[in-house]
Amino acid sequence: MSSGAGVLALDGPAGAGKSTVARRCAQLLGLTVLDTGAMYRAVTIACLHSGVDLQDGAACARIGQSVAIVLEDDGRVFLDGRDVTAEVRTPEITATVSTVSAHAMVRDIMVRHQRLWAEHHGAGVVEGRDIGTVVFPAARVKVFLVASNFERARRRLNDEVEAGRTVNFDDLLADLERRDRIDSERVSSPLKPADDAVLIDTTGRSIDDVVDHIVSLYRARS
Ligand code: DC
């Protein structure tokens, strides 16, 4: 089982900049990225399609156990062989994923996959909510990204506009805050920085600046 000694753990709430920062850091370090949020989103699609009660952790876990989720190194997501890269980002999945990902039984299955991924890749950038605290407590570098709620909602608005969807800023902000609450207050692996994580506030900082900071932290420990 991988200890995660080569892992750059990138945690933080939605909209803090994890995905963009993860991709850039990985490029500079010659590593691949594992987007664990996409795994929880793929399970959520499978649960919705199967019609199970999303509040039923055992039922959601049975679905999680029975499906094949493949995350390609280029970021594409496959669920039982079907390309769901676009579907994982739809508002319906974004609105329901926190419910499914709060179940400990679902998390156990995903964490097992994430550790196998690290064992296979040896090193990599892993982004999520519990990577530094639970999945890879011995990660080489742990970063916890934050940004103001206003800034995070503004970034999400840009993403939605780019995806061709019309959304209301206040609704986005309210949804971010609702998800933060569910992710931070859940009993199983709540969203919180590891004791030894480096906290980086990305509000008003350029991506290049944040990426340079993280890349030097990782190189300093290589
Ligand atoms: O990063 P994201 O928005 O794609 O994550 C989707 C959801 O999955 C988010 O609401 C919290 C959950 N998640 C989690 O609980 N643990 C992770 N390691 C990654 C994501």
Side-chain angles (χ1 to χ4, degrees):
M1 184 57 71
S2 168
S3 67
V7 164
L8 165 51
L10 210 50
D11 290 303
K18 292 189 303 290
S19 300
T20 311
V21 168
R23 264 197 313 274
R24 297 263 195 106
C25 287
Q27 266 166 8
L28 290 170
L29 292 166
L31 301 173
T32 42
V33 179
L34 178 65
D35 173 2
T36 61
M39 299 173 74
Y40 288 101
R41 287 170 180 270
V43 178
T44 303
I45 293 177
C47 290
L48 284 171
H49 283 181
S50 73
V52 291
D53 174 3
L54 298 188
Q55 305 292 340
D56 183 341
C60 290
R62 272 196 298 278
I63 302 288
Q65 190 76 263
S66 67
V67 291
I69 297 169
V70 175
L71 271 71
E72 298 287 354
D73 289 348
D74 64 7
R76 281 178 310 152
V77 187
F78 289 85
L79 176 64
D80 286 335
R82 190 166 67 84
D83 188 340
V84 292
T85 313
E87 196 179 345
V88 289
R89 302 280 150 214
T90 56
E92 186 190 14
I93 301 305
T94 300
T96 42
V97 60
S98 286
T99 306
V100 174
S101 62
H103 298 307
M105 290 169 84
V106 171
R107 303 197 68 81
D108 285 348
I109 297 164
M110 296 301 115
V111 168
R112 221 175 304 136
H113 284 304
Q114 291 154 18
R115 290 184 177 146
L116 282 172
W117 181 93
E119 201 173 326
H120 179 69
H121 283 75
V125 179
V126 185
E127 62 154 301
R129 301 290 191 288
D130 58 342
I131 308 306
T133 49
V134 173
V135 187
F136 299 115
R140 183 171 306 176
V141 172
K142 299 177 186 177
V143 171
F144 196 88
L145 290 184
V146 292
S148 72
N149 289 1
F150 185 88
E151 174 70 13
R152 292 161 56 214
R154 197 187 59 75
R155 289 176 187 162
R156 276 289 139 107
L157 185 68
N158 285 348
D159 292 346
E160 294 298 321
V161 170
E162 266 176 34
R165 289 189 283 261
T166 315
V167 277
N168 173 284
F169 181 84
D170 291 338
D171 291 346
L172 268 185
L173 185 61
D175 185 61
L176 270 182
E177 289 171 350
R178 181 187 66 85
R179 281 213 287 152
D180 281 356
R181 235 182 351 265
I182 301 178
D183 293 346
S184 319
E185 292 174 3
R186 70 182 175 219
V187 176
S188 178
S189 315
L191 168 69
K192 63 165 190 209
D195 291 340
D196 52 350
V198 179
L199 247 85
I200 299 181
D201 188 341
T202 64
T203 316
R205 270 181 84 172
S206 76
I207 291 170
D208 285 347
D209 187 26
V210 172
V211 168
D212 281 352
H213 183 166
I214 298 173
V215 165
S216 24
L217 286 174
Y218 189 86
R219 287 199 170 128
R221 294 188 195 166
S222 292

